Amino acid sequence: MKKIIFLLIGAGLMFTACNLSEEPIAQLGKEAIFSSESGLATYSWSFYNAIPSGSDQHAIEQTLVDYLGGTSINAFLRKGAYNSENSSGWSWTTLRNVNWFIQNCENATVDQAVKNNYLGLARFFRAYFYYGMVRRFGDVPWIDHALDVDETEALMAPRDSREVVMENVWKDLEFAEQNITRTKDNTCSLVTKWVAYAFASRVALFEGTYRKYHNLNLTTSAQTWLERSATAAKYVMDNSGYKLHTGNAKTAYRDLFVNTEPKTDEIMMAIISSNELSVLHNANWIWTSATYGTAANFIRPFICTFLQADGTPYTDRDGWETETFFEECQNRDARLAQIIRTPGYTREGKKALPEYKAYARLGYQPIKLCVDETYGDEKSLNTNALSLFRYGEILLNYAEAKAELGTLSDADWAATIGALRARAGITGGLTAKPTKVDQWFQSTYYPGVTDPSILEVRRERAIELCLEGFRFDDLRRWNAGNLLTMSYTGIYVPVIDEPLDMDNDGVPDVIFYTSDESRKAAQAMPGGKDCQVRLVSADPTSPNVQIHPAPGGGYYLAWDTQEDNVRVFGNKQYLYPIPAIVMVKNPNITQNPGWENNASNDGN
């Protein structure tokens, strides 16, 4: 593993491609690269620079999701803060590096199978690049070779249609599936044949549901894309040898995310770190520091989506609206206690409730990607591997594609959603697909969806894949971007200005106070001296943590935004604006609808 990391870093220094008119500079030279398998392999390390770093992966999930509330709002959602002048992402350097390799590899003097293997790897990364561009911008130019400066027509071409680009992406992925020869990588750092199939299922699911829910009437139908997703996922399920990582229901899920050595029974590819090579990331720092990052907390509606241990909805429970933090954490999906700090969680042998005084403004503090040791809480020192492709996603992709096609069977359900829930200690509803809609879940999240199977797959996907970088794309493909403006509501607090026992151990833990006088009075109460303290306000415009009245008495913590920071999401925000400078350089590139004339994100 460590050798792989070193090679990936070294490759990033060996090859450069500054713009579309420059040929990559290789220390080995073109002849050495394309005359041997070792030359092809060495150059191919440069493709991996497209993979995000561990710290970049955390940044994806902090602000562009509906299930977290933090101290800052992504400019893309903040009213009037985003337009074509500050848009970014229209970069083609990565593509040119891959295309240069592809066009030269065609003439490589190696065996055809060897050549096809590296061409398959290159085409995987070309598909990876274009998938990202289409998700961000929609229509983009399709470029299949390294452009030269005299190719004026190509350099000044308009955008190609989504249909053209995505069909070429699919062709690249089919070639990758059929020609990448590596089938197992114990380091989990390399693209394999199974990663190619996994990525194909992801891409096809995105494209199929995007076309369906955005009513895109393109040549290749949403149904065709969904069938492609199901087929690719099923091939992995039947042939790859991967499976869910199981064991103790209380630990098996989180084991996937807190170990330096990936759990290779389930994880197919991951972002690998190494303390010895100083390749580190900032998970603990991000999810424990009140000042580094956004101090993101989960919101109560998302926590309410976690089922009870018997497989029934939590919101079917009598009095669920006013259950204390301790009460709501009992008899739930075991993943809840592996995703947030719940009563009983410890760090280095000490009780570790949410840090209400500093980080846990809403009371639901993430732990999924953190290690329990405290050494990385104030610095980028994490080495735990971060999953990029894993078998759990394959099961979700298959279940969703089949549900969207209307062909999900009870056997399909048991092999996918049932298996994921069984790992989480859930005992009911594992063998047959649901026949009844959860009314609370439907009305809160997807009021336009009436199929109970689709609703439950979406519930499961949000929980199983949370913090792994999927949610923003999921909301956009489902045409559910409005959820990004959900209120930041937190835990139920029965009383304020009094010490509260949050874990039911008989010892008070926190005081939510409204003034210095009430804090002092509460601290003078039995057990109040050693409590965490957090200032709260009933003023809805307060910059402090707020308290909103709960039905029947008590309060919910809240972290709602000020007027100048209001979150918006309108139809045009399903795509990003083309950066203004792009259209200055190439007048044939047109702006995405709604972003013309430097329009800002205004919620329309």
Side-chain angles (χ1 to χ4, degrees), residues 73 77-81 540-543 546 560-568:
I73 300 171
L77 301 179
R78 194 168 67 247
K79 187 175 182 178
T541 65
S542 172
Q546 299 149 30
D560 284 331
T561 56
Q562 304 303 301
E563 182 61 31
D564 60 349
N565 280 334
V566 66
R567 284 170 291 142
V568 296

Side-chain angles (χ1 to χ4, degrees), residues 207-277:
E207 194 62 14
T209 49
Y210 196 96
R211 294 187 186 204
K212 176 178 178 177
Y213 289 104
H214 290 266
N215 297 313
L216 297 186
N217 186 23
L218 302 177
T219 302
T220 306
S221 67
Q223 178 174 330
T224 296
W225 278 100
L226 291 168
E227 289 169 348
R228 289 169 172 176
S229 178
T231 299
K234 193 65 164 64
Y235 193 76
V236 175
M237 292 164 64
D238 291 345
N239 299 285
S240 70
Y242 285 98
K243 61 182 180 179
L244 290 180
H245 175 70
T246 57
N248 187 330
K250 295 181 179 180
T251 59
Y253 174 74
R254 190 162 175 248
D255 280 347
L256 292 168
F257 311 106
V258 296
N259 291 284
T260 298
E261 298 292 336
K263 298 297 182 182
T264 56
D265 49 353
E266 176 167 349
I267 295 179
M268 306 164 78
M269 184 176 177
I271 301 171
I272 307 299
S273 297
S274 165
N275 192 49
E276 293 178 10
L277 295 169

Side-chain angles (χ1 to χ4, degrees), residues 148-165:
D148 291 326
V149 291
D150 58 353
E151 294 186 71
T152 305
E153 183 176 351
L155 290 167
M156 300 300 289
R159 297 194 281 173
D160 288 299
S161 70
R162 186 183 191 111
E163 175 71 16
V164 167
V165 175

Side-chain angles (χ1 to χ4, degrees), residues 102-209:
I102 291 173
Q103 69 187 58
N104 285 284
C105 190
E106 297 286 357
N107 299 316
T109 55
V110 295
D111 290 344
Q112 190 64 45
V114 172
K115 183 189 303 185
N116 286 347
N117 171 58
Y118 288 99
L119 282 171
L121 184 63
R123 292 180 68 170
F124 170 92
F125 278 101
R126 183 163 67 185
Y128 186 91
F129 169 83
Y130 265 111
Y131 175 58
M133 294 295 281
V134 170
R135 280 154 49 214
R136 190 173 182 88
F137 298 116
D139 296 350
V140 291
W142 172 259
I143 302 168
D144 61 2
H145 65 284
L147 297 179
D148 291 326
V149 291
D150 58 353
E151 294 186 71
T152 305
E153 183 176 351
L155 290 167
M156 300 300 289
R159 297 194 281 173
D160 288 299
S161 70
R162 186 183 191 111
E163 175 71 16
V164 167
V165 175
M166 290 308 295
E167 284 304 300
N168 279 303
V169 165
W170 189 250
K171 290 176 183 177
D172 277 350
L173 287 173
E174 286 185 313
F175 188 90
E177 290 168 346
Q178 295 161 11
N179 289 282
I180 292 176
T181 56
R182 187 186 302 274
T183 57
K184 190 68 175 178
D185 169 35
N186 289 330
T187 72
C188 284
S189 63
L190 299 176
V191 172
T192 66
K193 177 184 292 290
W194 303 119
V195 169
Y197 274 100
F199 187 47
S201 77
R202 180 188 299 179
V203 170
L205 181 65
F206 179 92
E207 194 62 14
T209 49

Side-chain angles (χ1 to χ4, degrees), residues 445-446 458 474-484 574:
Y445 281 91
Y446 312 107
R458 291 189 183 186
D474 285 349
L475 295 179
R476 288 193 296 167
R477 65 188 177 87
W478 294 331
N479 204 356
N482 60 294
L483 293 175
L484 291 161
Y574 285 101

Side-chain angles (χ1 to χ4, degrees), residues 348-404:
E348 297 176 340
K350 298 178 182 178
K351 180 172 79 170
L353 283 169
E355 296 176 358
Y356 302 106
K357 182 178 180 180
Y359 187 101
R361 291 169 172 82
L362 297 177
Y364 300 115
Q365 184 169 353
I367 63 166
K368 174 175 172 175
L369 304 179
C370 296
V371 297
D372 295 333
E373 294 77 17
T374 61
Y375 59 83
D377 288 1
E378 297 178 354
K379 195 173 183 180
S380 294
L381 292 175
N382 281 71
T383 60
N384 48 310
L386 302 175
S387 174
L388 288 172
F389 295 93
R390 63 182 178 93
Y391 189 71
E393 183 205 347
I394 296 297
L395 299 185
L396 290 164
N397 291 350
Y398 182 71
E400 184 177 349
K402 295 284 282 185
E404 292 287 357

